[in-house]
Amino acid sequence: GRILCQIHFILLFSRQGKLRLQKWYTTLPDKEKKKIIREIVQIILSRNQRTSSFVDWKDLKLVYKRYASLYFCCAIEDQDNELLTLEVVHRYVELLDRYFGNVCELDIIFNFEKAYFILDEFIIGGEVQETSKKTAVKAIEDSDMLQETVEEYMNKPAF
Amino acid sequence: MALKMVKGSIDRMFDKNLQDLVRGIRNHKEDEAKYISQCIDEIKQELKQDNIAVKANAVCKLTYLQMLGYDISWAAFNIIEVMSASKFTFKRIGYLAASQCFHEGTDVIMLTTNQIRKDLSSPNQYDTGVALTGLSCFVTPDLARDLANDIMTLMSHTKPYIRKKAVLIMYKVFLKYPESLRPAFPRLKEKLEDPDPGVQSAAVNVICELARRNPKNYLSLAPLFFKLMTSSTNNWVLIKIIKLFGALTPLEPRLGKKLIEPLTNLIHSTEILTGICASVSVLISLSSGMPNHSASIQLCVQKLRILIEDSDQNLKYLGLLAMSKILKTHPKSVQSHKDLILQCLDDKDESIRLRALDLLYGMVSKKNLMEIVKKLMIHVDKAEGTTYRDELLTKIIDICSQSNYQYITNFEWYISILVELTRLEGTRHGHLIAAQMLDVAIRVKAIRKFAVSQMAMLLDNAHLIASNTQRNGICEVLYAAAWICGEFSEHLEEANQTLEAMLRPKVTTLPGHIQAVYVQNMVKLYASILQQKEQAGEKEAAQEITQLMIERLPQFVQSADLEVQERASCILQLIKYIQKLQVKEVPVAEEVIALFAGELNPVAPKAQKKVPVPEGLDLDAWINEPPSDSESEDEKPKTIFHEEEQRHTRHRQPEIDEEELARRREARKQEQANNPFYIKSSPSPQKRYQDTPGVEHIPVVQIDLSVPLKVPGMPMSDQYVKLEEERRHKQKLEKDKKKKKQKKEKRGKHHRHNSLHTESEEDIAPAHHVDIITEEMPENALPSDEDDKDPNDPYKALDIDLDKPLADSEKLPVQRHRNVETLKSPDSELPLEEKKSKKPKKKEKKHKDKERDKGKKKEKEKKVVEEEEEEEKKKSSKHKKKKHKKEKEEKSKDKKKSKKKSHHSEEEPPASVQNGTLEDEPLPPMSSYRLLAENPYIKMTYDIQGNLQNDSKVTVSVIFENKSTSFLKSMELNVLDSLNTKMLRPEGSSVHDGIPVPFQLPPGISNEAQFVFTLQSIVMAQKLKGTLSFIVKNDEGSTHEKLDFKLHFSCASYLITTPCYSDAFAKLLESGDLHMSSIKVDGISISFQHLLAKICFHHHFSVVERVDSCASMYSRSIQGHHVCLLVKKGENSVSIDGKCNDSTLLSNLLDEMKETLSKC
């Protein structure tokens, strides 16, 4: 059986349809994941700019928003609150922004593991775990400190 | 400097780091796949090295490649290696990789259990955090079982960072290992009041998710959540709680009453749209049970209208979504916004258009169906893109056909709409239209003549439909047209012409299955023409038609489609034979007609499933004993004949005498009569359906054939809209006349009104007579649809009673020897024995420090560990005590419950919420519904609610419960009004008219109805005599029954729980405008807490302040009287001093309270 949760998955992809991040809170076989990603990226990219941020998709709802060249997309269950999910997306962008300082797509491409770590501090198992921006960023920075003492080069990209 | 050196040396170790890989991929856009396969080869080499840093780097790169879609499952073991690294840097990468690519099928996952356990108990909170995060992604049932106890322990970790994560992961653990829910629940509940807001919100999250799936197990938490809701400042938490209440209120209506106010306030005050949406959705679900709150619904609709009118597409979308929720319970409030919703059909955004369509589906009524469909038809014409147009088409059909064509008043109109829809090019839904045509023609007998004429027209114009070459879905309608014309050929006026149309050569280009239906039905047509001609004595004409068939049929005999060919050649032979007989002047029509005699009735799709298993029939039992397992497959063929023979002899029936045969025949007849699948010869189907509920209320009117069949230049359905308007207008005029007449002859017989409102839907009588034949169902079919539930629902396993005390067997599996190790830092190598006692360990540590001389940081860490350890121990012992206490409490609670239950088994479960007055003590179950009257058929309980907005009205909610095994219908409630108190009746009805209860009651079902009463003075209690009349219907027939009752309006029912602050309360008492009175009741044994709860609950007060055994309470009447109480509890008594603007009201209220308390 497939386990359901509030947010089923989060996808980040570019305007060209390139996947930049995928986080699954449901267990699915890889094949299926790929199929879903392809389908959803296509659905969202084909949508008009001036449409709502919500799409009914199978038994789920897709909530997405475009920030600069990146689309952030969450799949939630039918009873879940769309606006709250938009806020979740926005909060994640804010966290990225605070961590990277004026985040851009390249930051996420080159530090994709950091993007995951930040996401993991914010959402766990599909549930929002930290509503305070400060606490979330602090947790990341503290754990970064742990590795910075040893290998600083991994944190601060040289490009 | 030093850093640079380190960096340089590490750089050399890696061939490529992640950034290099990313850059490389970006630089190899043309041959990306090749480049990546190169990189993967490199990574494989790196993974073979012993250096963990190199491995981690490799795994990090793999994780990136995994995101790009490359399979990295082959590296699962390396990932585990990196997870096990002692350095956080690597561990973090390992866990990230694992969480991205591990799933239940990953076989090495079971190797991780011990590693994860070690990380969970690491002194470094980030190790623990990273393990928890990873676990949330790949927890399996095995991992959940093995680690449940560890995670549960972490819920009480000293660091909120860990507690928060542990609480959230617990939800995943519950899903994978449901047995952990009960043992972990008490601690989870504790976390609702965690000092850290993050942990608190995590706990709220988890419990909300749990409760949303199985709300009834969480009802007892309602008071706690209510407190959280009123105190929380965190919007995220607030929204979660509101959502939770949305799940709880359907089970506990009283909760809803409590919630209305805070939610309404929230909607009023909040600027956060999310909050509005969440509150609206809960309010909607609340109000479904309480029609009294139309004001709050009105508020919701207003707010939603603003959202829908907003230029922001998101708000528009959500507004529509929420509207559709309101629609389910309060269709009237939404229907007035029809125009707004129709406007949304023009929106650029397809998802908004689709939402609007959904809404329209629910908004239709008899009154507006035609109008809405007309608008939709316009959109069909305008629509660009087949997807949306097809969506519109299906919606039109859905809207019209919903609830058994409930809203269609004119079926000719509907047929015309269907015919108009056939003009759609390139639709995929031809079969849908066809199905509707068939369904309507079969089930609405009165429409057959019209339907046949329209279908004949379609057949005649088949070339228009069939020529539409692109994705020729629409030609499916010809299937329906051919069948309808054939089956109901007696209604055809120009049968010859239709037959000819069906025999055109062009027909052979249609799909095979349609041709097959053509062939079959042209014979039906032929048969009826034949009969017609023979009866008219036109022998020549009869022979001509036969000749025509013989000439044209061969084109079908040549068909490549097997079925067409088979039917055609069979029929051709038949007709050739008929021709021979005709030549001999033998009349044949009767016999040909006999081929198609009999009528088909529709059978409900679920009928087969609903056939009840006859008593005594065990479907699981073997009919024949199963062959024994010892028999091998090879031996079977040899014995098969022999065995069969044996069986024959064994089952041979004994000789039966004549009498026995007769008896059996009788029994079989009986059975056939009860068997829905046995086609009976004589009784007309009409008769059988008469008893089915829901059919007889459809009035029978003669068909109005004044409608022309075709109006040139105008779509036909539009004509119907016009005609219908005229008809309704006429009807209304007539009705008004009648009404006037009625008023004149007031003394005449009581006229029963169909509804409360003059402009209601029921007023519109259908234009024709809609004898929809209900689909056949077996007798005794179950009304419920249990089979629709999904047995694979993962939440089903979590439907667990959480209030039952824990049994020993339920404790979570604990790995004993690990427990000692739990708090050990991973790299300390102390032998186990040293951990046993505290003192030697400390010494040992000092000793060790000298020896090893590690960095200061390490020592600090250890100290932390020590402290944590001590604290942990204290905590756990505390916790144990607490647990004991709780268990005891729960037991006593259980006892109380069972005692109570023996008295009033029908009382509702506990959880009453009173302005946060509930503390630790559990309350006995209370219900505000009092018995109104009861007889063997029906039981009525009632509750009276006032409304602050209206000082002269109260609503009486009556729950009707059908106690019998019969069907109760036509319930009508009437009371004898007093001068002061009157039942609100629809305009124009007299005081002798009762009010119909708006539902019928199947056996064992209960439902609630509301009746509004107006009153002048509220200072005295009132009793009104009344009667409920109803019809009891069962197999033996129906009887008219009555039940008398006395409706008691206590003074308390005019009070409305209103919170009051202590300073305002003090001012009120000082003002001196209030009259005073007091009572004293002896022999009170219940606790003060319960006593207050009772006053709050039954008399609608709220506690202002409570000090020891003394409390001040406040309430307000619907007419604005302030009522203040001072309640003091003595040894065995209680005294109440009251102050109120009106002395009569006060003394009456106190008397009522005295009565309540004397029962305690």
Side-chain angles (χ1 to χ4, degrees), chain B residues 757-777:
Chain B
H757 307 280
T758 42
E759 272 279 280
S760 143
E761 314 241 279
E762 311 303 326
D763 286 359
I764 302 169
H768 5 95
H769 107 113
V770 196
D771 57 341
I772 291 187
I773 299 176
T774 343
E775 291 168 321
E776 288 192 31
M777 273 292 218

Side-chain angles (χ1 to χ4, degrees), chain A residues 1-6 18-30 33-34 37 47-48 50-56 61 77-88 91 106 108-114 116-117 120-131 135 138-140 142-144 146-159, chain B residues 3 6-7 10-11 14 17-19 22-23 26 32 53 57 60 63-64 66-71 87-90 92-93 96 99-104 124 126 129 132-133 136-138 161 164-165 168-169 171-172 175-176 198 201-202 205 209 212-213 234 236 239-240 243 272-275 277-278 313-315 317-318 321 348-352 355 793-795 857:
Chain A
R2 130 181 180 188
I3 289 287
L4 311 166
C5 53
Q6 204 205 344
K18 288 244 187 222
L19 193 65
R20 295 302 179 205
L21 182 144
Q22 51 167 317
K23 187 84 195 178
W24 297 80
Y25 300 108
T26 54
T27 44
L28 288 172
D30 279 350
K33 285 184 188 172
K34 274 188 206 168
I37 292 169
R47 274 172 69 88
N48 195 307
R50 290 195 53 201
T51 56
S52 73
S53 298
F54 318 117
V55 188
D56 286 328
K61 284 188 293 202
E77 273 171 52
D78 196 41
Q79 315 96 306
D80 283 317
N81 190 316
E82 295 90 344
L83 285 181
L84 199 64
T85 314
L86 268 187
E87 265 181 67
V88 168
R91 181 58 60 88
L106 279 181
I108 294 170
I109 298 173
F110 281 98
N111 302 282
F112 91 112
E113 86 280 22
K114 283 291 155 57
Y116 278 112
F117 294 150
D120 287 342
E121 283 304 328
F122 178 41
I123 294 170
I124 202 165
E127 292 282 344
V128 173
Q129 62 163 322
E130 187 49 70
T131 53
T135 322
K138 192 173 174 300
I140 305 278
D142 284 354
S143 30
D144 278 355
L146 279 178
Q147 64 183 56
E148 208 132 321
T149 49
V150 193
E151 293 123 338
E152 192 182 347
Y153 84 101
M154 272 202 133
N155 298 326
K156 300 288 180 232
F159 63 89
Chain B
L3 197 69
V6 175
K7 195 171 176 177
I10 295 174
D11 267 343
F14 304 127
N17 63 21
L18 175 68
Q19 274 78 38
V22 174
R23 215 166 283 138
R26 291 167 73 83
E32 192 183 289
N57 184 54
C60 185
T63 316
Y64 187 79
Q66 191 263 353
M67 183 185 69
L68 296 185
Y70 291 86
D71 175 36
K87 285 206 175 87
F88 176 71
T89 319
F90 307 140
R92 198 184 194 189
I93 290 171
L96 173 63
S99 62
Q100 288 300 97
C101 73
F102 282 10
H103 49 86
E104 271 179 46
N124 177 356
Y126 295 110
L132 284 172
T133 309
S136 76
C137 293
F138 56 75
Y161 178 79
K164 178 179 77 185
K165 283 184 198 276
L168 287 171
I169 308 295
Y171 178 58
K172 294 267 159 177
L175 285 172
K176 295 282 179 181
S201 100
N205 265 353
E209 284 304 308
R212 187 168 128 186
R213 319 287 177 179
N234 185 334
W236 303 69
I239 287 162
K240 274 275 168 187
K243 206 159 113 187
I272 340 148
L273 292 164
T274 350
C277 285
Q313 298 293 84
N314 288 344
L315 297 185
Y317 179 90
L318 294 176
L321 200 67
K348 280 170 265 126
D349 185 353
E350 189 175 308
S351 47
I352 285 181
R355 283 278 156 233
D793 183 7
Y795 302 102
K857 209 182 158 200

Side-chain angles (χ1 to χ4, degrees), chain B residues 451-463:
Chain B
V452 165
S453 71
Q454 292 292 304
M455 294 303 116
M457 216 169 67
L458 273 184
L459 288 179
D460 209 28
N461 294 317
H463 54 282

Side-chain angles (χ1 to χ4, degrees), chain B residues 516-646:
Chain B
V517 170
Y518 264 67
V519 172
Q520 188 74 13
N521 283 284
M522 63 180 68
V523 193
K524 294 184 198 165
L525 256 181
Y526 166 76
S528 73
I529 296 173
L530 203 62
Q531 191 187 30
Q532 211 183 307
K533 302 288 177 200
E534 264 188 25
Q535 278 168 358
E538 302 170 30
K539 279 178 202 160
E540 261 172 47
Q543 285 180 358
E544 261 170 40
I545 203 83
T546 312
Q547 188 55 36
L548 179 75
M549 289 291 277
I550 290 174
E551 274 166 21
R552 299 282 184 84
L553 268 173
Q555 60 182 339
F556 295 105
V557 176
Q558 288 159 11
S559 172
D561 190 281
L562 281 181
E563 193 167 351
V564 180
Q565 196 192 74
E566 192 179 35
R567 289 189 189 196
S569 45
C570 181
I571 285 161
L572 185 59
Q573 289 312 311
L574 178 77
I575 292 180
K576 280 183 179 163
Y577 180 67
I578 293 171
Q579 198 177 34
K580 273 185 199 165
L581 294 174
Q582 278 182 327
V583 173
K584 290 178 194 165
E585 303 215 338
V586 180
V588 283
E590 286 307 320
E591 269 138 278
V592 180
I593 279 281
L595 284 175
F596 307 106
E599 202 175 332
L600 288 171
N601 284 328
V603 175
K606 280 183 185 163
Q608 180 68 56
K609 235 196 295 181
K610 301 263 169 166
V611 178
V613 179
E615 222 174 298
L617 175 64
D618 181 3
L619 287 174
D620 293 327
W622 290 98
I623 296 173
N624 298 313
E625 281 305 308
S628 69
D629 289 339
S630 59
E631 259 180 322
S632 87
E633 292 284 316
D634 304 326
E635 285 170 41
K636 262 188 180 166
K638 290 178 197 164
T639 54
I640 208 157
F641 290 108
H642 189 58
E643 249 192 16
E644 291 229 314
E645 245 174 38
Q646 268 186 341

